[in-house]
Amino acid sequence: MVKVLFFASLRARLGTAEHRLEGFSGSVAELRHRLGELFPDWQPALQAADIQAAVNQEMAAATTQIGDGDEVAFFPPVTGG
Amino acid sequence: MVKVLFFASLRARLGTAEHRLEGFSGSVAELRHRLGELFPDWQPALQAADIQAAVNQEMAAATTQIGDGDEVAFFPPVTGG
Amino acid sequence: MDFIEVRTAPFAVADEFAALRAGNRSDGASAMFVGSVRDFNAGAGVSGLALEHYPGMTEKSLQRIVDDARARWELGRVRLLHRVGAMAVEEDIVFVGVTSPHRQAAFAACQYIMDRLKTEAPFWKLESGEAGDSWVAARDSDRRELEKWA
Amino acid sequence: MDFIEVRTAPFAVADEFAALRAGNRSDGASAMFVGSVRDFNAGAGVSGLALEHYPGMTEKSLQRIVDDARARWELGRVRLLHRVGAMAVEEDIVFVGVTSPHRQAAFAACQYIMDRLKTEAPFWKLESGEAGDSWVAARDSDRRELEKWA
């Protein structure tokens, strides 16, 4: 099971903060694609060019590999401080 | 009359904080020289390479002109902050 | 010597400065930065904001930034506090305080921590204002500031 | 919007920060620096120091430095306090606080004010320590720091 989190404007656009996906393994880019297939309404927000990803709470690249038990987060550029 | 002030280590070495000089006009360098003539004991301290001068409370060059009523100060490099 | 905290409660600069200095006889320099809620962003009136973060990742991210600052400069104490939750205009959001024997190191590290925090710590701001609620957009200028540390 | 003071009494960072922020809704950034008495200088134990200045010239010098900072950056409030007289180790000597709408301007101006103060404001330090009293020597490094503002 992969735990997927969404933050800030992305969470607001998707209307959900968390989704759990069984049986996924692949890259961050592939996970984004898979979520778009599962939830076509999510596609525009999920595919936005500035969306970033973290895997197990570390910033991740599109090619970062994800497997069972991982925590993945998608979010817009950060604006703290 | 020119009012001459000395600060910090220079004051300590000369043993005086202030000297008033009548009838002087000339440059900062000439004033330094004149004070050395008047007080030979002061020469080594007054001629030290790092001694700086201010005229009327503004940093001054060796060539800055001084006349009656001016306030001149000699001091070592500053060390505030 | 690091104190890093994500919190909802306001902080007091007096307490943070006291913690940087108490018994600290060797660091003559203390540099501090405070970021506060402004009443406008991109021109629109703002009445307050809600700060969201990614619990767990936030703390790791802040610790890494502080570790990297320590690797670059000789630092004494570092205190980094960032608030989350609801805040009104004029409230303080973030405090960074750094002590060092050297003034330049204290300034540089304080600025470096803020520059990196702005571009990589997972915080997001939702502003409330005249025109309703809106998510604050990241600024290219914040990204460019990082170049000076490359 | 400038507050510049040469004083014998200690200052409180809490009061200075409060004065930088009270009713200040437009400046999101506050950068501050505090310089404190260290327990060593050039290796010798220090128990305290006496700070001497040139009354009249000091205030003019500090005002000029702040004016020059304002000409370079968009600043809100500036507070610059420098103590004179006798101080023990750990006591605070100088406070510089600057607010701005822009973080980089606040940091730069705060650092600029300190860099110039260090090389041109007429203050001198007499340290008391293990080896008796000695005048603190100016540092070449302070002079070199000025080059970044040229």
Side-chain angles (χ1 to χ4, degrees):
Chain A
M1 195 269 296
V2 175
K3 182 175 166 186
V4 188
L5 305 174
F6 306 107
F7 289 97
S9 57
L10 181 60
R11 173 180 47 69
R13 285 185 67 186
L14 302 188
T16 188
E18 184 174 333
H19 181 75
R20 284 160 193 258
L21 197 63
E22 295 292 343
F24 176 84
S25 82
S27 69
V28 165
E30 286 160 354
L31 176 60
R32 244 166 114 165
H33 185 74
R34 172 75 62 87
L35 291 168
E37 285 177 340
L38 290 169
F39 306 95
D41 289 357
W42 289 5
Q43 273 199 19
L46 263 183
Q47 294 305 326
D50 64 354
I51 294 298
Q52 301 174 350
V55 174
N56 297 328
Q57 307 187 347
E58 304 277 354
M59 292 301 288
T63 55
T64 301
Q65 291 298 304
I66 300 160
D68 197 49
D70 283 341
E71 176 178 302
V72 183
F74 291 103
F75 44 77
V78 304
T79 59
Chain B
M1 194 269 297
V2 174
K3 182 174 164 186
V4 187
L5 304 174
F6 307 106
F7 288 97
S9 57
L10 181 60
R11 174 181 46 70
R13 286 186 67 185
L14 302 187
T16 187
E18 185 175 333
H19 182 74
R20 285 158 193 259
L21 197 64
E22 295 290 346
F24 176 85
S25 82
S27 70
V28 165
E30 286 162 354
L31 175 60
R32 241 165 115 165
H33 185 75
R34 171 76 61 87
L35 290 168
E37 286 177 342
L38 290 168
F39 305 94
D41 289 356
W42 289 5
Q43 271 198 20
L46 262 184
Q47 294 304 325
D50 65 354
I51 294 298
Q52 300 174 352
V55 174
N56 297 329
Q57 306 186 349
E58 304 277 354
M59 292 301 288
T63 54
T64 302
Q65 292 298 305
I66 299 160
D68 197 49
D70 284 341
E71 176 177 303
V72 183
F74 292 103
F75 44 77
V78 303
T79 59
Chain C
M1 304 295 253
D2 297 338
F3 181 85
I4 296 174
E5 190 177 46
V6 178
R7 57 191 273 165
T8 52
F11 52 80
V13 168
D15 295 344
E16 297 312 311
F17 179 67
L20 288 172
R21 296 302 328 164
N24 187 344
R25 301 169 70 92
S26 54
D27 295 333
S30 304
M32 292 173 282
F33 179 84
V34 177
S36 312
V37 184
R38 299 205 280 172
D39 65 358
F40 62 89
N41 188 50
V46 169
S47 56
L49 57 78
L51 240 145
E52 176 177 339
H53 78 126
Y54 181 175
M57 181 172 168
T58 314
E59 293 78 359
K60 285 185 196 173
S61 169
L62 298 179
Q63 184 67 59
R64 170 166 311 143
I65 292 168
V66 171
D67 290 346
D68 289 351
R70 287 194 178 278
R72 281 172 171 253
W73 296 284
E74 180 188 349
L75 306 180
R77 302 181 188 177
V78 177
R79 295 182 73 82
L80 170 49
L81 288 75
H82 201 297
R83 291 178 65 202
V84 292
M87 274 161 262
V89 171
E90 289 190 42
E91 283 193 58
D92 301 325
I93 304 169
V94 60
F95 175 89
V96 182
V98 175
T99 72
S100 171
H102 310 292
R103 172 172 97 258
Q104 307 300 339
F107 272 119
C110 191
Q111 190 166 12
Y112 172 87
I113 289 169
M114 276 305 303
D115 282 354
R116 284 200 47 195
L117 184 156
K118 279 276 185 183
T119 55
E120 67 189 78
F123 294 105
W124 299 274
K125 285 178 187 150
L126 178 65
E127 283 185 345
S128 313
E130 293 161 359
D133 290 356
S134 62
W135 293 94
V136 175
R139 285 184 302 198
D140 288 342
S141 62
D142 283 327
R143 209 158 299 276
R144 282 195 301 274
E145 292 304 337
L146 279 181
E147 292 166 12
K148 67 174 167 297
W149 309 112
Chain D
M1 302 296 254
D2 296 339
F3 180 85
I4 296 173
E5 190 178 45
V6 178
R7 56 192 274 164
T8 52
F11 51 79
V13 168
D15 296 345
E16 297 313 311
F17 179 67
L20 288 173
R21 297 303 327 165
N24 186 345
R25 301 168 69 91
S26 54
D27 295 334
S30 304
M32 293 173 281
F33 179 85
V34 177
S36 312
V37 183
R38 297 206 281 172
D39 65 358
F40 61 91
N41 190 52
V46 169
S47 56
L49 57 78
L51 240 144
E52 175 176 339
H53 77 126
Y54 181 175
M57 181 170 169
T58 314
E59 292 79 0
K60 285 185 195 173
S61 169
L62 298 179
Q63 184 66 60
R64 170 166 310 142
I65 293 168
V66 171
D67 290 347
D68 289 351
R70 285 194 178 279
R72 281 171 170 253
W73 295 283
E74 180 188 348
L75 305 180
R77 302 181 187 176
V78 177
R79 294 182 74 84
L80 169 49
L81 287 75
H82 200 297
R83 291 179 64 202
V84 294
M87 275 161 263
V89 171
E90 289 190 41
E91 282 194 59
D92 302 325
I93 305 169
V94 60
F95 175 89
V96 183
V98 174
T99 72
S100 171
H102 310 293
R103 172 173 97 258
Q104 307 300 339
F107 272 119
C110 191
Q111 190 166 11
Y112 172 88
I113 289 169
M114 276 305 303
D115 282 354
R116 284 198 49 192
L117 185 155
K118 278 275 183 183
T119 54
E120 67 189 77
F123 293 106
W124 299 273
K125 286 178 186 151
L126 178 65
E127 282 185 345
S128 313
E130 292 161 1
D133 291 355
S134 63
W135 292 95
V136 174
R139 285 185 302 198
D140 287 341
S141 62
D142 283 327
R143 209 158 299 274
R144 282 195 302 274
E145 291 305 336
L146 278 182
E147 292 167 12
K148 67 175 168 295
W149 308 113

